[in-house]
Amino acid sequence: MTAAGALSLGLAAGGIVTDPVMLTGGLFAVLALGGGILARRIVSVQSGTEHQRSMLAESFDAGLMGRMITASDGTVVQANSVFRTWVGAGPEGASGSASALFDMLRRRFDHDPEMAARFRRLADSARQGRADWAELVPGPGGTRGPNDAAGSGAWSLIRVMPLAGTGGLAKWVIEDISDRKDVEQRLRDEQENLSDFMNHAPVGFYSVDHDGRFLFANATLAAWLDCSAADLVCGGVSLHDVLAEPARGSRHSPFAGDESRGEVTMKSLKGRRFQASIAQTTVASPDGRSLRTRSVVRDLTPERDWREALHRSEQRFQSFFEDAPIGIALINDDGTLAECNDAFLTMIGRPSRSILGCPLAELFSPGERTSILARLDQGKIGSGMIAPFEVNLRTQGREKKMAQLYARRLAGSPGEADPSGSSSGSGMILHFIDLTEQKSLEAQFAQSQKMQAIGQLAGGVAHDFNNLLTAMIGFCDLLLLRHKPGDQSFSDIMQIKQNANRAANLVRQLLAFSRQQTLQPRILNITDVLAELSNLLRRLIGENIELKMVHGRDLGLIKVDQGQLEQVIINLAVNARDAMSGGGRLTIQTSNVSTNEPTRREHEEMPPGEYVAIEVLDTGTGIPKENLARIFEPFFSTKEVGSGTGLGLSTVYGIVRQTGGFIFVDSAPGEGAKFTIHLPRHQAAKTAAVTAEAESEARERSAGDLTGTGTILLVEDEDAVRVFSARALRNKGYQVLEARSGEAALNLLNTESNRVDLLVSDVVMPHMDGPTLIRHVRDKRPDMKVIFISGYTEDKFRDQIDAGEHIHFLPKPFSLKQLAGKVKEVLRDG
């Protein structure tokens, strides 16, 4: 046996090379190299200690901790079965396990850079013969052993112990410390929880020494003092530095004598003051040489805030009661009035001294008292809530007011059920909502709804009439192409056309009243409009009435439909003429008006802005007050039967409101009347208006020749309108494709898309309307020119068209000349 083998055997027997037997065996093994006698002695000694070595080897292999012995070069000399299992090497003698054990151990810690660094430090210590230890968390690998309760990832304590006198051998011991780590972590968590509780408790904790220096302060107290706990303990701050007033007690206590609690005013390091309550005890320091305090601080600010909030709440409640816009009254068990607010007194028109203590029944009409008191008695039982009902209140002077009454039993009132289960009458709180004005408004609203319904009916009728009138006027134009002025039928056709035009004017009045007429606004100067209209007005009002025009200076421009504006002025002038049957003066005055605040008249409110005002004043009989609120209602007239339709002023109102303006009236019997129209001031430059007017006049002059070329797709569900329009356009040289619906138009476009130059479509059609048709057409022909025709206003469909879409519009009814002129204009200008 070699010395290395003997040493290996000795290590295997126990791993402790300082064992006498092992040292002896190793020594004799070395001496055996020098002679046979010593060799025989070694055999004898070895034979005698064989049993001991066997026991030591079993002892090395047994146990719950992994063990191994490494040489100075890092190779594993010996390892027990627990270690081999732990690193995943298998039983002793497995292939490759002897040379790879150390690498397998090292790889258990390669998963984490910090763990790998700790292991490298242990390996270096083993090679350099230094004792060392480290706590590590092994990564995946190996097999769970009896000492590895937590498996992969559990904490292990690895110790390296050099074996003296063995030429660099080191013993490694691996011990599972997961349980100990869990206990330590739990202790740390509990300490942190306790510390967190102390630091963030809703009260402050501190301790100061005899000189008042802070020994401890929690975070809550530090926050109140606008600093950190470290600032108090380490910043040289004393208790007296945070007291707003000099302390009466010792330096470590703000209280004199044996007092251990009281209130003080504290100040933060930023100067903020607050009232606090301090309770403390004085104890000896651990060294027994000095005193320190155990102090608890409570910030009194929240409590004071709560009391102040309660006081404010009481004041608010009192204010809610006294200043409420509805009447509130409290009645006692016997039905007498105990308390009421100012709104209730105003409602009944009586002072409080005249009604407090009086029976509530006296406030109601005699015929209603019995039923009202019976309903109030129902609130004394059950839930205590009574469904609201209407009552008539007797006011001072016997005037009646209608009110909505809400009644409820007071919570905690004497009438509530007592512990015995009995119940008597209870006090109640009553709320009165004045309905007098509301009832009046409801009547007005009902009238307004009636007028709205009439307006919707008028608009619908007007739309249908526009289709009929379009066909009538159009076919008259076609007939006039064949019957010239010398023809016998010419005068008959002209009579039909003139009456159709009169009907069209009536339809425009209906549309104006319902605010659905088609407007063609232009930028105008009101002075020029009135100058052109003055001669007509003089003929209308007669010679016994003086017409006076007063034009304001530097008037702003307006954007209105000139024809509709002229209709407004004419209607007002005719009304003024009828009010001055014996003669008088009609004055039309214009001016600029600028308002910074909303102007409210009756139910109308004009927003602030820049306006051009037109005042129409007469010296007639005036308008009674009861009629002022109704003069703009349709069919309302004070004239004799047969003298008027009642649509004049309602038409004026509709036109002005649809234009975006407002009209107000001031009058009194015998003092004449003044109608004031406010039209929004247009901000465009005056040159723009002149240019637009010049372009319009040039377009009208060039409209003499209405012939043209191109292919037009005409979409109209009314057969008469479609037939007339198609014939009219063909007579002017156009090729016309006809479609009765939007679907039919799309089918035509699929085959004739490249031929069509212009699409003329009705707006309202069954199934697919005009705007929907245009959206489909734009998918294939984004450059398609479009003219919409409709009996409704242009605004009715504009919101259905995509923003930026350029669409032309021709209102119904239209003549052959208007249709042909519009088509030529669009094809020419696009």
Side-chain angles (χ1 to χ4, degrees), residues 400-476:
K400 292 183 179 180
K401 278 202 171 185
M402 182 169 288
Q404 186 90 355
L405 174 58
Y406 294 80
R408 185 185 183 94
R409 186 183 64 217
L410 283 173
S413 63
E416 292 189 350
D418 55 29
S420 64
S422 63
S423 176
S424 60
S426 65
M428 302 193 76
I429 181 169
L430 308 180
H431 293 82
F432 295 86
I433 299 178
D434 191 350
L435 298 181
T436 308
E437 184 177 356
Q438 179 181 335
K439 289 297 182 181
S440 176
L441 291 175
E442 286 177 357
Q444 296 179 30
F445 180 68
Q447 179 71 7
S448 174
Q449 283 187 312
K450 181 178 69 175
M451 294 301 102
Q452 183 180 3
I454 295 174
Q456 291 175 343
L457 175 62
V461 170
H463 172 260
D464 291 338
F465 264 94
N466 276 333
N467 280 325
L468 298 175
L469 293 173
T470 300
M472 292 172 63
I473 295 172
F475 281 110
C476 284

Side-chain angles (χ1 to χ4, degrees), residues 531-550:
E532 295 176 4
L533 199 60
S534 59
N535 291 331
L536 175 60
L537 292 176
R538 286 190 172 89
R539 289 197 298 270
L540 282 174
I541 62 178
E543 295 180 355
N544 63 335
I545 296 176
E546 176 191 358
L547 175 63
K548 182 179 181 181
M549 294 274 192
V550 181

Side-chain angles (χ1 to χ4, degrees), residues 256-274:
D258 297 331
E259 189 176 5
S260 60
R261 68 175 61 244
E263 291 187 11
V264 297
T265 301
M266 303 190 76
K267 63 177 181 180
S268 71
L269 299 188
K270 294 183 179 180
R272 183 181 64 87
R273 297 187 175 216
F274 61 95

